[in-house]
Amino acid sequence: MTLQDSFGRRFRYLRLSVTDVCNFRCNYCLPDGYQCTTEEQPLSVNEIQQLAQAFARAGTRKIRITGGEPSVRADLPEIIRTLRAVPGIEEVALTTNGYRLGERVHEWKAAGLDRFNLSIDSLDPRQFHAITGHNRLQELLDGLDQARAAGFNDIRINTVLLRQFNASELDAFLEWIRETPLTLRFIELMRTGDNAAFFNDNHVSGESIQTRLLDSGWQPLLRSASAGPAREFSHPDYAGRIGLIMPYSKDFCASCNRLRVSATGKLHLCLFGEQGHDLRDLLKAEHSDALDQRLLDLMPLKKETHFLEQEETGATTHFAMLGG
Ligand code: SAM
Ligand code: SF4
C-alpha cells in the first residue's frame, strides 16, 4: 500500500517536525528568534512511534526529522532509535542547523541515523553571523569533520539563496566541493506569511544559478520517477554535487513525494497549505485502525499545486513551524 493523492502522486516520504523551538535567528525564518505561541507540548516519543508505525503501514519508507531545531530536544537520539526500529522504515534522516554538531553526531550515528542535511548559508563567518545570529561557522565546519569520522559520508548542505547576503559566494561554495564530496543544495528563498519584505529584497531565482552551472560544464543528473523536486548536477572536476530546489519553477509540485507532520501532530498536505489536519487524538495503539483510515481519507484533499506565485503562502508564517 502507498498513500496516493487524486493526481497519482505517491508519498513514501514523511517530514516530521519534532519541535518548533529553535536556538538560531535566521533572518529569513525567525529573525526575532523563537517566540512561544502555544501551550501544546510536542509529540512524545510514544506518539511519534504510533505515528511512524501508521505511516509505515501506509507505505512510508523514509522519515526526515526536522523542526524548529530538532537537536534542542534532549531525547533526539531516542526519537531516532524509535523511528529506525519501526518495521518498514528504511531510512531516517535529519535536518539540523548544526548547533554543537561535533559533540552530538556520534550519538546520532549510534542511534541509527542514516544521513543528515546541515544548513550552512554562508562560508564567510561575518555573513554567517549576519544571517543566523550566531558566530558558529567554524564549529559547524569542525562538526562536519567529526561527522565524517563517525561514518556519515553522504552529507548534504542546505543553503538558502539570499541576494543581499550570499549571492556573491557561488564560486566559494563551488571551490569547497571541488575536493570535498558533499552535496550542496541551493534552495530558493520562499515567501512565508512573516517574511514578505525580506523575500522581495532577497529572492534569487534558482534558474540563474542553473544557467551559470550549465555554462561552466555542470551536467544535470537523470532523475528517477520517485525522486523529489530537487534538480541535481555533477561535474567531472568536482568531488561534490549540486542540488537546486526551485519551488517557483513550472511543474515543481508535479514531483512532490512528501507529506509533513507538525510537532503537535497535524498532517500538512502541502508546505503552503491551510491549517493541518489533527492526528494526535488517534496516536494511541488502540486507535491504529482509525488512524490508518484517517490518513487514507485525507489524501484526496491534497491540492495539485501551491499558490506561491500568487503570493499565497497558506497558513505557514515561517518554516520553523513545519520544518521546511
Ligand atoms: N533548523 C533546522 C535547519 O535550519 O536546518 C531544520 C528546520 S529548517 C526550517 C529546514 C530548512 O528550511 C533549512 O535548510 C532552512 O534553511 C530552510 N528554510 C527556512 N525558511 C526558509 C524559506 N523561507 N525559504 C527557503 N528555505 C527556508
Ligand atoms: Fe532555526 Fe532552521 Fe529556521 Fe534557522 S532555518 S531559524 S536554524 S528553524
Side-chain angles (χ1 to χ4, degrees):
M1 192 172 108
T2 313
L3 294 172
Q4 184 168 334
D5 70 7
S6 323
F7 307 95
R9 292 175 298 193
R10 294 170 164 226
F11 306 105
R12 293 168 154 265
Y13 172 25
L14 172 67
R15 295 179 67 98
L16 172 64
S17 173
V18 295
T19 178
D20 58 2
V21 177
C22 187
N23 45 7
F24 276 25
R25 299 187 295 276
C26 298
N27 51 10
Y28 49 83
C29 182
L30 293 177
D32 301 321
Y34 169 71
Q35 319 279 326
C36 184
T37 54
T38 172
E39 299 278 286
E40 200 175 348
Q41 293 299 308
L43 297 182
S44 67
V45 175
N46 280 343
E47 288 173 312
I48 288 173
Q49 184 181 37
Q50 295 300 324
L51 181 86
Q53 286 172 345
F55 272 90
R57 285 193 297 272
T60 296
R61 295 293 168 259
K62 170 178 171 182
I63 299 183
R64 176 172 297 281
I65 304 167
T66 177
E69 174 48 37
S71 65
V72 303
R73 275 189 72 154
D75 57 0
L76 179 60
E78 197 186 341
I79 294 173
I80 296 169
R81 208 172 294 114
T82 302
L83 292 175
R84 204 64 191 80
V86 170
I89 297 302
E90 292 163 3
E91 184 178 333
V92 175
L94 172 76
T95 300
T96 177
N97 64 22
Y99 184 85
R100 296 199 176 156
L101 178 66
E103 289 168 37
R104 293 169 163 172
V105 77
H106 295 272
E107 209 180 356
W108 298 344
K109 187 73 183 172
L113 188 69
D114 293 290
R115 53 159 78 194
F116 69 90
N117 288 10
L118 172 65
S119 296
I120 300 185
D121 293 323
S122 175
L123 293 175
D124 172 341
R126 278 170 314 161
Q127 290 292 10
F128 184 91
H129 185 242
I131 296 168
T132 64
H134 280 262
N135 192 10
R136 291 183 179 268
L137 175 63
Q138 193 55 49
E139 176 185 310
L140 266 60
L141 297 175
D142 293 344
L144 274 178
D145 292 338
Q146 292 286 329
R148 281 195 210 94
F152 289 102
N153 44 29
D154 184 16
I155 301 171
R156 291 176 178 167
I157 306 298
N158 284 353
T159 303
V160 180
L161 296 164
L162 301 167
R163 183 188 310 285
Q164 295 175 334
F165 295 89
N166 63 15
S168 59
E169 285 189 51
L170 183 64
D171 289 342
F173 273 108
L174 292 184
E175 210 37 54
W176 188 29
I177 60 165
R178 194 182 282 276
E179 308 287 343
T180 314
L182 294 167
T183 298
L184 281 179
R185 288 159 66 102
F186 292 116
I187 307 173
E188 256 184 57
L189 178 64
M190 295 173 232
R191 182 190 288 272
T192 62
D194 279 356
N195 77 4
F198 186 90
F199 174 88
N200 290 335
D201 290 343
N202 278 289
H203 179 254
V204 178
S205 149
E207 299 281 352
S208 63
I209 308 290
Q210 177 168 270
T211 305
R212 282 181 65 184
L213 292 175
L214 294 174
D215 287 350
S216 50
W218 287 83
Q219 301 284 332
L221 295 171
L222 285 179
R223 287 199 284 177
S224 71
S226 60
R231 296 187 198 167
E232 296 218 320
F233 301 83
S234 68
H235 191 297
D237 299 341
Y238 290 77
R241 290 182 171 184
I242 304 277
L244 282 179
I245 300 183
M246 301 191 280
Y248 293 87
S249 69
K250 194 174 151 294
D251 293 338
F252 180 77
C253 299
S255 51
C256 183
N257 63 351
R258 59 206 58 197
L259 296 168
R260 295 174 167 85
V261 171
S262 74
T264 54
K266 290 192 167 54
L267 174 68
H268 289 255
L269 297 167
C270 174
L271 182 52
F272 299 102
E274 294 311 322
Q275 303 295 342
H277 305 273
D278 208 1
L279 303 176
R280 194 168 203 172
D281 57 313
L282 297 181
L283 296 180
K284 297 189 179 71
E286 63 268 30
H287 296 320
S288 60
D289 290 346
L291 180 57
D292 293 353
Q293 191 58 48
R294 188 175 295 170
L295 289 179
L296 287 176
D297 291 347
L298 288 168
M299 288 307 108
L301 302 183
K302 186 166 162 77
K303 300 210 170 88
E304 190 169 14
T305 64
H306 61 56
F307 298 95
L308 267 186
E309 59 294 333
Q310 292 157 35
E311 303 189 359
E312 279 186 34
T313 54
T316 304
T317 52
H318 52 71
F319 280 13
M321 63 187 276
L322 202 51

